[in-house]
């Protein structure tokens, strides 16, 4: 999978992709992340990429022309399955959407800034708009990092234990059960006996029951989902 992220601030995204699991995924050749600096596609000598909104009002708008040039340049080099715009009014990101995106080939993710992008970009280039939650960020970069992280960790071979992503929260509309590691007793806080029993079927049963219990307590809405 290849993800091209179009941004005014590539440096904001360098950190998230150069450590831990996302770094390893790239080193193993399972994911390619390219940070595309939109300023390279500015059309005037001042390298402006934003301008005042028609009709007046506060804030700047990211101009259509540099974005159009950038997306068309990328598309002339390869095909993309989605051109995504990160936006607070987009479709709410969740695990099923991450699962779907993880099956795609090449993706473009456009990060907005200021008041957002000229509407003509959304009308003519964008195939999917994603929000990571009902709050407003200052830019799309952190949101794009969230989406890319959630998607890349699902690619086969990225996580060491292949089954690990499947046992995470939301994959079966349940949150994850509690987890423990050594020591079996710390102060007088004990790990549940069943986890030390070595009895695989009982352990699975316990984990499932704990997941259901937690979901009822914390996220009852998940139990009504398809
Ligand atoms: N004026 C816009 C907000 C712009 S915020 C509005 O009210 O809808 C600037 C940029 O940050 C947006 O273009 C978008 O790319 C990004 N952004 C902000 N909040 C976001 C969210 N919840 N999810 C995804 N992207 C978001």
């Amino acid at each position: 999978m290849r993800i091209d992220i179009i941004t005014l601030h590539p440096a904001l995204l360098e950190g998230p992709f150069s450590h831990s699991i996302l770094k390893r995924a790239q080193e193993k050749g399972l994911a390619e992340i390219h940070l595309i600096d939109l300023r390279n596609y500015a059309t005037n000598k001042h390298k402006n990429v934003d301008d005042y909104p028609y009709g007046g009002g506060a804030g700047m708008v990211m101009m259509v022309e540099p974005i159009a040039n950038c997306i068309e340049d990328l598309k002339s080099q390869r095909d993309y399955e989605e051109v995504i715009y990160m936006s607070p009014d987009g479709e709410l990101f969740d695990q099923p959407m991450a699962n779907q995106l993880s099956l795609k080939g090449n993706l473009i993710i456009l990060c907005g800034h200021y008041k957002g992008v000229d509407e003509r970009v959304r009308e003519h280039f964008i195939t999917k708009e994603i929000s990571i939650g009902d709050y407003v960020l200052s830019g799309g970069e952190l949101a794009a990092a969230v989406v890319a992280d959630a998607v890349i960790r699902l690619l086969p071979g990225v996580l060491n234990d292949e089954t690990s992503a499947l046992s995470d929260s939301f994959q079966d509309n349940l949150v994850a059960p509690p987890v423990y590691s050594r020591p079996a007793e710390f102060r007088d806080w004990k790990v549940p006996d069943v986890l030390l029993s070595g009895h695989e079927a009982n352990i699975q049963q316990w984990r499932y029951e704990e997941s259901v219990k937690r979901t009822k307590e914390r996220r009852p809405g998940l139990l009504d989902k398809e």
Side-chain angles (χ1 to χ4, degrees):
M1 152 171 273
R2 173 183 173 122
I3 306 181
D4 289 346
I5 305 182
I6 303 174
T7 167
L8 284 175
H9 300 285
L12 262 179
L13 283 166
E14 277 159 17
F17 295 115
S18 49
H19 300 278
S20 182
I21 289 172
L22 298 189
K23 178 184 183 196
R24 210 170 56 226
Q26 293 170 86
E27 286 170 351
K28 285 189 187 166
L30 302 169
E32 261 185 68
I33 309 283
H34 295 264
L35 303 178
I36 319 282
D37 190 342
L38 184 60
R39 221 165 279 280
N40 294 336
Y41 293 88
T43 48
N44 65 18
K45 67 172 192 286
H46 302 293
K47 298 263 171 210
N48 290 340
V49 289
D50 58 305
D51 207 339
Y52 294 99
Y54 276 124
M60 301 294 275
V61 174
M62 285 170 68
M63 294 187 290
V64 59
E65 200 175 354
I67 298 173
N69 290 342
C70 180
I71 292 175
E72 279 167 354
D73 182 31
L74 293 173
K75 282 184 169 174
S76 73
Q77 298 171 53
R78 65 195 69 76
D79 290 330
Y80 291 91
E81 280 191 61
E82 300 281 7
V83 182
I84 297 167
Y85 176 49
M86 302 310 304
S87 184
D89 61 4
E91 193 183 341
L92 268 182
F93 189 57
D94 60 6
Q95 192 62 47
M97 204 196 293
N99 295 349
Q100 283 162 18
L101 289 173
S102 75
L103 302 174
K104 307 250 178 202
N106 301 328
L107 303 176
I108 290 176
I109 304 183
L110 171 63
C111 304
H113 256 276
Y114 320 117
K115 294 306 280 181
V117 299
D118 188 303
E119 188 65 22
R120 290 167 289 185
V121 170
R122 301 172 72 168
E123 281 169 16
H124 299 287
F125 293 105
I126 299 300
T127 61
K128 189 175 185 66
E129 303 193 324
I130 303 179
S131 164
I132 63 160
D134 288 342
Y135 39 80
V136 178
L137 303 166
S138 56
E141 284 77 11
L142 299 181
V146 166
V147 169
D149 182 313
V151 168
I152 289 169
R153 70 190 289 283
L154 295 173
L155 300 176
V158 169
L159 298 183
N160 284 335
D161 178 353
E162 284 277 353
T163 60
S164 179
L166 293 175
S167 62
D168 284 327
S169 292
F170 309 118
Q171 284 297 5
D172 42 14
N173 287 335
L174 295 173
V175 300
V179 292
Y180 298 87
S181 185
R182 289 187 292 179
E185 189 166 349
F186 174 68
R187 303 190 182 151
D188 57 352
W189 310 331
K190 292 197 183 108
V191 171
D193 285 336
V194 59
L195 296 178
L196 310 175
S197 69
H199 192 301
E200 189 60 27
N202 289 355
I203 292 170
Q204 290 311 332
Q205 181 62 23
W206 180 86
R207 286 188 169 146
Y208 177 71
E209 285 165 7
E210 289 294 314
S211 275
V212 172
K213 191 168 116 198
R214 268 200 175 188
T215 308
K216 282 185 183 149
E217 282 164 10
R218 297 172 184 221
R219 301 294 303 276
L222 289 176
L223 297 168
D224 306 329
K225 282 199 181 178
E226 286 288 300

